[in-house]
Amino acid sequence: MSETPRDWLDLASKELKGRPVEELTWRTAEGIAIKPLYTAGDLPEEAATALPGIAPFTRGPRATMYAGQPWTIRQYAGFSTAEESNAFYRRNLAAGQKGLSVAFDLATHRGYDSDHPRVAGDVGKAGVAIDSVEDMKILFDGIPLDEMSVSMTMNGAIIPVLAMFIVAAEEQGVDKAKLTGTVQNDILKEFMVRNTYIYPPEPSMRIVADIIGYTASEMPRFNSISISGYHMQEAGATLAQELAYTLADGMEYVRAAMARGLSVDRFAGRLSFFFCIGMNFFMEAAKLRAARQMWAKIMEDFGATDDRSKMLRTHCQTSGVSLTEQDPMNNIVRTAYEAMSAVLGGTQSLHTNSFDEAIALPTDMSARIARNTQLILSHETGVTKVVDPLGGSYYVEALTKELCDKAWELIEEVEAAGGMTKAVADGLPKRRIEEAAALRQARIDKGEDVVVGVNRFRLEEEAPIEILRIDTAAVRKSQIARLEEVRRTRSREACEQALADLRRCAAGADGNLLQAAVEAARARATLGEISTAMEEGFGGRHEPSTSLISGVFASAHENDPEFQTIRQRIADYAKDKGKSPAILVAKLGQDGHDRGSKVIATAFSDLGFDVHLGPLFETPEEVAKLAIEKDVDLVGVSTHTAGHLTLVPELIDVLRAKDRPNIHVICGGVIPSEDYPALYDAGVAEIFGPGTNVLQAALAVLGVLEGRRRNTRSGERLPAA
């Protein structure tokens, strides 16, 4: 790196009136020192000769990039029934959207049919409910699958979902060889952060390899995997962690496919990636550049000779965790900046989040704003006129190299642990990400990371906004009726035979799991039946373990007087009561987002609470039983996917039925303020929305234990700082 020019230093020192210029240098969460000035001496040697479309593709995978063809505008969407989602897709396509990205509900993600008792609060809530081929046919009714690129975000239940998509296309008259699009099929990421897995890691990796093999021979235009860092950043990962662990996942999938006898150049050209784009504008653009550069090197090391095998193609989505419940119109601006960053970094397709997604599912109006953000960016700003406009930027080129260096260090750590499957089993990436998430929350709470409208420049009073509501009971009733019709009209013998064949295949017999599942889907086996047959063949579902990191939040607040004051108050409470206040942090239903629950558990533990971290995917009955066994004072329910109005009141009813109404229930997460009164009426003691300051939350919880409640039934929120 270059020395800072003397004449600039003299001028800067004069402008700073004697303050040291070094004060202007800051460190990112990755530990990268960002200087206030970059010059030609900071350019990496290779930057001078790099060109788009030529390996290692730092400047883009195509020579002409957007000047030849703009990125694909996608909107990740799906909710309620297949009929509702189909109508939404058609409206969006008519308004300029170019590809479909399907969101499935959590029951579907976790391999359950809509009539399963564990999913009563999840059906149709965070995506569309798919139980059979009939649902899939309705989802794409009137949408020509030989012309439309379809991306499906699915991992755990990827086999039945992809099988049903293939059969639905066939029955629409479209051969599978003509299908274009992408499935996520990235199970290692699920074990790290997102948690919508079904089977243990080893059989899950077999699924990945079977899909890669099947699509390589039968679906040459279809991307068999979208290796995803998105949920890593959403879970709190630094950008270097997101970059490193995503590429390390990719390396593991390449090894799995090659172990099945596939040559690298046969399948690698259909691999794709998926990254999150947050608010660190230049760092995010540099991350995409670094990813392409690093992947080209990785694939050369695997023996790839075809340039398409070395080419990293990526979809991007603007950050969900950067969206705020407070002053939500600010999210329109955040999303626009993030979209610009993704485009300047060279993404191939893009989804822009709607401004209301920190509160509820997007409405037609908010989805239109999100989509138009991309249309304006593409047609009005001129960014498509020049290939890689950031190329040669002193700062961006230096930042690209810094990110590469940081990410290589993390990849080497994973490789030393035996590769990503072994590292995931040992919990290494998950632990690193959870530590980063706790530190990020501490910086926000202390005001070191400014979030406008949350910890700075807050509105005194916020106007309500329209939200989209899903009637889960009605959706579930509709889905169950169609399930019953499918089961009544199908050939029972053909379905049972196909499921038996699939079960044998999963148990180790020869054959491809996806091919066997396609036959089962043709016989109208349901998603839950296909998933269960594989579960039986594999020997059961994956049983996750929960762990609690400690000390990270306390170290970040070491010299914070507010933290020390609250910790002393909790210690005084424990001395007075003879025991520390005990809380069970719980997740209800099939929601696997556990960033918020892990951050709260870590912070409350460091403050002096006796914290019990419950398993994922629990029913109200199971949470109540555990709360009584652990003799806790409170249950803190973390919710992200709109099941709170069904599941939380049920939990309170169960506690009352078990004669433990003294166990307080509090809620945190994505909860519209309009739902607060109903939750308070049900008996919830406190509610904490997104952006709540953790120290303020701890004080409020202590107030509940001391008999002082803050709620007013009017949607009141805790202050964020």
Side-chain angles (χ1 to χ4, degrees), residues 87 217 284 298 408 567 573 642 672 678 704-705:
S217 63
E284 291 288 5
I298 287 167
W408 281 126
R567 182 145 69 173
Y573 177 93
V704 169
L705 295 176

Side-chain angles (χ1 to χ4, degrees), residues 145-360:
L145 291 177
D146 53 347
E147 300 174 16
M148 181 60 58
S149 171
V150 176
S151 170
M152 292 184 287
T153 301
M154 177 54 64
N155 298 287
I158 180 61
I159 288 285
V161 164
L162 184 52
M164 289 173 184
F165 177 68
I166 291 168
V167 174
E170 286 176 356
E171 296 185 8
Q172 194 187 85
V174 178
D175 186 85
K176 56 183 172 288
K178 295 182 179 179
L179 294 173
T180 61
T182 305
V183 284
Q184 195 160 99
N185 191 27
D186 177 7
I187 201 62
L188 288 174
K189 173 263 298 181
E190 299 299 323
F191 290 113
M192 266 189 274
V193 289
R194 179 62 182 86
N195 299 314
T196 54
Y197 40 68
I198 300 175
Y199 315 108
E202 189 174 337
S204 294
M205 287 298 290
R206 179 189 167 191
I207 288 171
V208 172
D210 275 12
I211 290 172
I212 292 173
Y214 182 94
T215 53
S217 63
E218 305 290 333
M219 302 168 70
R221 301 174 62 195
F222 204 82
N223 295 322
S224 56
I225 190 167
S226 175
I227 305 157
S228 173
Y230 184 85
H231 288 102
M232 297 182 199
Q233 188 178 146
E234 294 291 274
T238 67
L239 271 61
Q241 289 171 340
E242 179 193 5
L243 175 58
Y245 296 150
T246 304
L247 297 186
D249 282 351
M251 293 165 67
E252 201 77 343
Y253 297 136
V254 170
R255 290 184 181 118
M258 293 176 71
R260 301 297 296 271
L262 292 173
S263 66
V264 66
D265 283 324
R266 185 181 171 198
F267 67 86
R270 304 312 306 177
L271 304 180
S272 66
F273 289 79
F274 174 27
F275 286 103
C276 181
I277 303 294
M279 284 299 290
N280 193 336
F281 187 90
F282 289 107
M283 181 83 87
E284 291 288 5
K287 180 184 72 184
L288 299 185
R289 299 163 61 83
R292 289 191 293 269
Q293 185 181 120
M294 294 174 70
W295 187 245
K297 170 70 166 60
I298 287 167
M299 295 309 292
E300 285 176 358
D301 290 345
F302 275 116
T305 57
D306 187 336
D307 266 2
R308 284 189 56 79
S309 300
K310 306 174 191 177
M311 195 182 292
L312 182 144
R313 290 162 297 274
T314 189
H315 170 71
C316 289
Q317 180 174 339
T318 59
S319 172
V321 79
S322 73
L323 303 178
T324 64
E325 179 195 34
Q326 298 85 357
D327 209 355
M329 291 300 177
N330 289 337
N331 296 332
I332 298 173
V333 182
R334 292 186 177 100
T335 295
Y337 287 144
E338 290 169 349
M340 174 76 84
S341 177
V343 167
L344 292 179
T347 189
Q348 278 63 70
S349 72
L350 179 62
H351 163 80
T352 34
N353 287 330
S354 300
F355 74 86
D356 49 2
E357 289 186 58
I359 302 166

Side-chain angles (χ1 to χ4, degrees), residues 350-374:
L350 179 62
H351 163 80
T352 34
N353 287 330
S354 300
F355 74 86
D356 49 2
E357 289 186 58
I359 302 166
L361 290 168
T363 62
D364 277 359
M365 184 270 285
S366 66
R368 179 176 178 272
I369 293 171
R371 182 179 59 254
N372 286 355
T373 298
Q374 292 197 54

Side-chain angles (χ1 to χ4, degrees), residues 290-552:
R292 289 191 293 269
Q293 185 181 120
M294 294 174 70
W295 187 245
K297 170 70 166 60
I298 287 167
M299 295 309 292
E300 285 176 358
D301 290 345
F302 275 116
T305 57
D306 187 336
D307 266 2
R308 284 189 56 79
S309 300
K310 306 174 191 177
M311 195 182 292
L312 182 144
R313 290 162 297 274
T314 189
H315 170 71
C316 289
Q317 180 174 339
T318 59
S319 172
V321 79
S322 73
L323 303 178
T324 64
E325 179 195 34
Q326 298 85 357
D327 209 355
M329 291 300 177
N330 289 337
N331 296 332
I332 298 173
V333 182
R334 292 186 177 100
T335 295
Y337 287 144
E338 290 169 349
M340 174 76 84
S341 177
V343 167
L344 292 179
T347 189
Q348 278 63 70
S349 72
L350 179 62
H351 163 80
T352 34
N353 287 330
S354 300
F355 74 86
D356 49 2
E357 289 186 58
I359 302 166
L361 290 168
T363 62
D364 277 359
M365 184 270 285
S366 66
R368 179 176 178 272
I369 293 171
R371 182 179 59 254
N372 286 355
T373 298
Q374 292 197 54
L375 292 172
I376 292 166
L377 184 56
S378 176
H379 293 285
E380 296 188 28
T381 64
V383 295
T384 61
K385 305 299 184 187
V386 175
V387 180
D388 185 30
L390 290 185
S393 159
Y394 304 148
Y395 176 38
V396 172
E397 298 286 9
L399 202 51
T400 300
K401 184 179 186 308
E402 290 269 21
L403 269 173
C404 284
D405 292 344
K406 291 288 184 183
W408 281 126
E409 290 174 11
L410 293 169
I411 289 175
E412 287 167 1
E413 181 183 44
V414 168
E415 291 292 284
M420 193 49 113
T421 303
K422 180 75 163 58
V424 164
D426 292 342
L428 171 65
K430 191 176 188 72
R431 190 164 58 251
R432 294 274 187 267
I433 291 170
E434 287 172 4
E435 290 168 353
L439 289 171
R440 162 74 171 158
Q441 186 62 48
R443 289 195 304 272
I444 291 173
D445 286 352
K446 292 161 67 179
E448 293 173 356
D449 289 359
V450 174
V451 182
V452 173
V454 175
N455 61 6
R456 292 272 293 277
F457 314 109
R458 282 180 61 86
L459 284 176
E460 289 294 324
E461 187 174 336
E462 297 192 26
I465 65 169
E466 178 190 354
I467 63 170
L468 176 64
R469 293 190 177 278
I470 303 297
D471 185 343
T472 299
V475 175
R476 193 165 187 246
K477 182 179 178 181
S478 168
Q479 289 298 120
I480 290 172
R482 190 147 56 226
L483 269 168
E484 290 172 347
E485 178 67 10
V486 166
R487 289 169 180 153
R488 186 184 66 80
T489 57
R490 71 192 180 186
S491 165
R492 179 178 174 185
E493 293 77 13
C495 183
E496 288 181 352
Q497 182 60 55
L499 288 171
D501 292 342
L502 175 60
R503 193 177 298 109
R504 281 193 295 273
C505 184
D510 291 339
N512 183 286
L513 288 165
L514 180 54
Q515 177 61 58
V518 167
E519 297 303 324
R522 285 197 187 108
R524 289 314 190 259
T526 68
L527 177 132
E529 290 168 341
I530 292 173
S531 296
T532 298
M534 293 172 62
E535 180 183 333
E536 291 167 352
F538 290 148
R541 279 190 170 241
H542 177 62
E543 295 295 333
S545 59
T546 55
S547 59
L548 178 65
I549 61 172
S550 61
V552 174

Side-chain angles (χ1 to χ4, degrees), residues 479-650:
Q479 289 298 120
I480 290 172
R482 190 147 56 226
L483 269 168
E484 290 172 347
E485 178 67 10
V486 166
R487 289 169 180 153
R488 186 184 66 80
T489 57
R490 71 192 180 186
S491 165
R492 179 178 174 185
E493 293 77 13
C495 183
E496 288 181 352
Q497 182 60 55
L499 288 171
D501 292 342
L502 175 60
R503 193 177 298 109
R504 281 193 295 273
C505 184
D510 291 339
N512 183 286
L513 288 165
L514 180 54
Q515 177 61 58
V518 167
E519 297 303 324
R522 285 197 187 108
R524 289 314 190 259
T526 68
L527 177 132
E529 290 168 341
I530 292 173
S531 296
T532 298
M534 293 172 62
E535 180 183 333
E536 291 167 352
F538 290 148
R541 279 190 170 241
H542 177 62
E543 295 295 333
S545 59
T546 55
S547 59
L548 178 65
I549 61 172
S550 61
V552 174
F553 202 81
S555 66
H557 285 275
E558 188 176 4
N559 299 313
D560 184 349
E562 185 181 14
F563 179 86
Q564 301 302 337
T565 298
I566 296 171
R567 182 145 69 173
Q568 185 58 55
R569 279 192 57 186
I570 293 169
D572 292 342
Y573 177 93
K575 184 177 180 181
D576 180 57
K577 300 294 183 181
K579 72 180 191 74
S580 297
I583 182 170
L584 170 64
V585 179
K587 293 289 295 184
L588 288 170
Q590 300 305 305
D591 173 20
H593 291 94
D594 62 354
R595 176 183 182 271
S597 60
K598 289 291 185 70
V599 167
I600 286 294
T602 295
F604 274 41
S605 177
D606 285 358
L607 281 164
F609 283 85
D610 179 15
V611 176
H612 302 274
L613 192 56
L616 292 169
F617 315 125
E618 294 288 87
T619 64
E621 179 75 30
E622 289 163 343
V623 169
K625 181 182 177 184
L626 184 58
I628 292 168
E629 285 177 1
K630 298 297 184 182
D631 191 26
V632 299
D633 304 299
L634 309 108
V635 176
V637 177
S638 172
T639 178
H640 187 85
T641 50
H644 50 273
L645 287 180
T646 302
L647 298 170
V648 174
E650 186 179 337

